Amino acid sequence: MAPPAVLMVGTGEYTTGFVSGAASTSDKKVGVVGLTLFDLRRRGKVSALSMAGVSGRKFPAIRQHLQKNISEAYNGLDVSFSSFPSDDASDPEAYKAAIDALPRGSAVTVFTPDSTHYEIAKYAIERGIHVMLTKPATKLLSHHLDLVALARRHGVFVYVEHHKRFDPAYADARFRARNLGDFNYFYSYMSQPKSQLETFKAWAGKESDISYYLNSHHVDICEWMVRDAGWRPARVRASASLGISESIGCAKGTEDTITLLVDWVRKRTTTTTTTSGAAEGDSSTSASTGHEGVATGIYTASWTAPMNAGVHSQQHFHYVASRGEVNVNQAKRGYDVVDEGDLSGSSLKWFNPFYMRYAPDEEGNFAGQGGYGYVSFEKFIDAVTAVNEGRVSLEDLDERGLPTLRNTVLTTAILEAGRRSLDEGCRTVEIVGEGEHVELK
């Protein structure tokens, strides 16, 4: 069977590294999605590539950018792709024609504003196309659950790009945490500098917020770490700071920093046997459910961190259990560079080649296949191929613990609960139910 064709929906920073007519000023100057898929095509894991955006007029400049910064940098790597809409048109629904052009069993990556994920994914799923969604999968829990049912009905694989699960330190921390006793406390912080709001200004504070964008990383990591021990989120309360985003042109009310306070509970069922009529040996059994433990999770995200701090993204967490703790700081990894010629700000930089390694190999080819950003995509493509060839079922993929749509329901529940809390005067929102019957109250 031929490798799957892949459509990239969204042409911005994460896909191409091209923002506002030039290469991004972030750590993704040549993007992630496009570069990874171009290399996977070189390795024979994907076939035809296409890209869909809103404005086709951007494509000539995007092609020039990719040719200069990827093809010429990596030994002539093929950066060709079909594009939708045409170069002289603008169409916010161009993704539909692009999806219609794919054969069944193809795949689509969706890296677009959060509010658009549901409609794009639904359109693809209904046409037998496998889907990778950037996090958060959807803004609304109801939409997430609808996609779970829809994907099962159409037999397609839907995967959420929670790449931090493949960060070696985070994955190892999860493994070691299993032997540290009962979950007690989790604190995380993730941020990006306020310059990123120039990239996100079109939707920041209007269509989504910084909690959906960045807290989604560590909310998922925490849920992934504790779920097998029976822990689940029960209550969410959110708090936010304001002022900086508005001062640089974002919509009124755009939060700068959002913190989620989550109560986690682990339920236990106790069985009681009572005996009556001893001569006859009559007995009855009853079960009652209580809480075996309660733990606290605090997740903070900001997109107004100071400029020139030496890192693009602060990212760390602290996990405490009954017999130990884990501290992971993935902003400063013992690797720093001083460049006096860098006039963009601080000359001292902490880089993260463990996410995307952009340095070529000895033959001039892209050599970042071991980066956890790349690994996340390769696992999705390998799973799509295995499903298409009948070597694995969707249930098998869920059981492997991958960030499938079904395995990330509670992450979406927490994120939407946080948004509801902010919108309703910082009230506490309850998460009730189990499996695919979760709801917010």
Side-chain angles (χ1 to χ4, degrees):
M1 182 177 288
V6 182
L7 164 67
M8 296 166 269
V9 180
T11 62
E13 177 182 69
Y14 212 83
T15 298
T16 66
F18 193 75
V19 179
S20 302
S24 170
T25 58
S26 77
D27 58 347
K28 305 177 186 68
K29 292 178 172 55
V30 293
V32 174
V33 184
L35 174 57
T36 298
L37 289 171
F38 295 142
D39 188 68
L40 286 170
R41 180 171 60 185
R42 178 182 71 87
R43 296 173 56 204
K45 290 203 167 191
V46 303
S47 55
L49 296 178
S50 53
M51 198 177 295
V54 173
S55 175
R57 297 176 180 85
K58 294 181 180 179
F59 283 122
I62 287 173
R63 286 188 168 91
Q64 185 177 20
H65 163 75
L66 297 176
Q67 177 64 30
K68 177 182 178 181
N69 295 295
I70 292 182
S71 184
E72 294 177 14
Y74 298 115
N75 210 20
L77 181 62
D78 181 8
V79 294
S80 63
F81 60 92
S82 301
S83 57
F84 299 81
S86 60
D87 291 358
D88 60 354
S90 180
D91 181 4
E93 294 190 337
Y95 69 87
K96 293 183 177 180
I99 291 172
D100 290 342
L102 296 171
R104 292 182 69 87
S106 298
V108 58
T109 63
V110 181
F111 285 77
T112 59
D114 301 344
S115 60
T116 66
H117 293 181
Y118 173 68
E119 292 297 338
I120 297 171
K122 182 179 179 182
Y123 193 87
I125 292 168
E126 290 174 339
R127 285 151 185 81
I129 307 300
H130 305 288
V131 180
M132 170 191 273
L133 289 165
T134 186
K135 45 77 201 155
T138 61
K139 290 182 63 180
L140 301 180
L141 175 61
S142 60
H143 284 172
H144 191 128
L145 294 173
D146 185 42
L147 292 181
V148 170
L150 200 62
R152 183 187 301 112
R153 191 179 315 140
H154 290 273
V156 299
F157 180 47
V158 183
Y159 174 100
V160 187
E161 205 268 320
H162 283 294
H163 53 257
K164 292 302 293 182
R165 291 195 184 198
F166 306 106
D167 182 322
Y170 279 43
D172 195 64
R174 177 181 183 253
F175 173 76
R176 296 180 187 279
R178 294 188 302 181
N179 297 318
L180 297 180
D182 292 337
F183 173 40
N184 186 264
Y185 172 81
F186 186 100
Y187 166 75
S188 65
Y189 176 76
M190 195 164 187
S191 71
Q192 290 187 354
K194 59 177 70 76
S195 59
Q196 279 294 90
L197 284 172
E198 291 298 323
T199 300
F200 305 140
K201 192 179 292 184
W203 56 265
K206 303 173 188 175
E207 300 178 27
S208 195
D209 61 41
I210 187 56
S211 184
Y212 279 115
Y213 178 58
L214 287 186
N215 268 334
S216 51
H217 289 87
H218 286 109
V219 167
D220 174 72
I221 289 297
C222 181
E223 197 273 335
W224 181 53
M225 289 178 71
V226 305
R227 67 183 306 167
D228 289 347
W231 293 90
R232 64 175 303 282
R235 291 170 293 277
V236 180
R237 181 183 180 276
S239 180
S241 58
L242 301 166
I244 298 175
S245 300
E246 291 181 3
S247 71
I248 57 178
C250 289
K252 183 174 178 59
T254 300
E255 296 94 354
D256 302 331
T257 302
I258 295 176
T259 296
L260 307 180
L261 174 63
V262 181
D263 292 337
W264 292 82
V265 299
R266 184 170 64 185
K267 292 184 177 180
R268 72 165 185 266
T269 300
T270 57
T271 301
T272 303
T273 301
T274 58
T275 301
S276 61
E280 294 79 17
D282 294 339
S283 65
S284 61
T285 301
S286 62
S288 62
T289 301
H291 289 158
E292 185 176 284
V294 178
T296 299
I298 302 173
Y299 315 89
T300 297
S302 175
W303 47 17
T304 56
M307 301 287 292
N308 309 326
V311 294
H312 179 71
S313 181
Q314 296 283 356
Q315 45 184 307
H316 55 261
F317 76 81
H318 182 198
Y319 174 89
V320 181
S322 58
R323 296 196 304 272
E325 63 181 355
V326 176
N327 274 287
V328 183
N329 188 330
Q330 291 300 70
K332 300 176 181 178
R333 305 180 182 219
Y335 172 47
D336 57 74
V337 176
V338 174
D339 180 2
E340 290 184 344
D342 187 346
L343 303 180
S344 64
S346 172
S347 61
L348 177 60
K349 305 286 187 183
W350 284 270
F351 293 107
N352 181 9
F354 310 100
Y355 170 57
M356 284 291 288
R357 177 174 177 249
Y358 291 109
D361 67 13
E362 67 279 0
E363 296 180 3
N365 295 315
F366 175 72
Q369 293 83 8
Y372 61 86
Y374 188 106
V375 168
S376 180
F377 281 83
E378 187 169 13
K379 285 188 178 292
F380 169 66
I381 294 299
D382 286 347
V384 165
T385 300
V387 170
N388 287 346
E389 295 178 352
R391 293 185 283 110
V392 70
S393 69
L394 299 180
E395 291 75 18
D396 292 335
L397 295 173
D398 287 330
E399 290 174 4
R400 290 179 183 179
L402 290 170
T404 66
L405 200 59
R406 190 174 183 182
N407 285 343
T408 53
V409 168
L410 290 176
T411 292
T412 297
I414 292 171
L415 294 171
E416 187 192 347
R419 184 67 257 167
R420 283 199 191 184
S421 177
L422 289 174
D423 291 342
E424 299 172 17
C426 298
R427 77 170 179 91
T428 297
V429 178
E430 294 186 16
I431 301 175
V432 299
E434 300 287 344
E436 296 173 36
H437 303 285
V438 177
E439 61 179 324
L440 306 181
K441 290 187 175 180

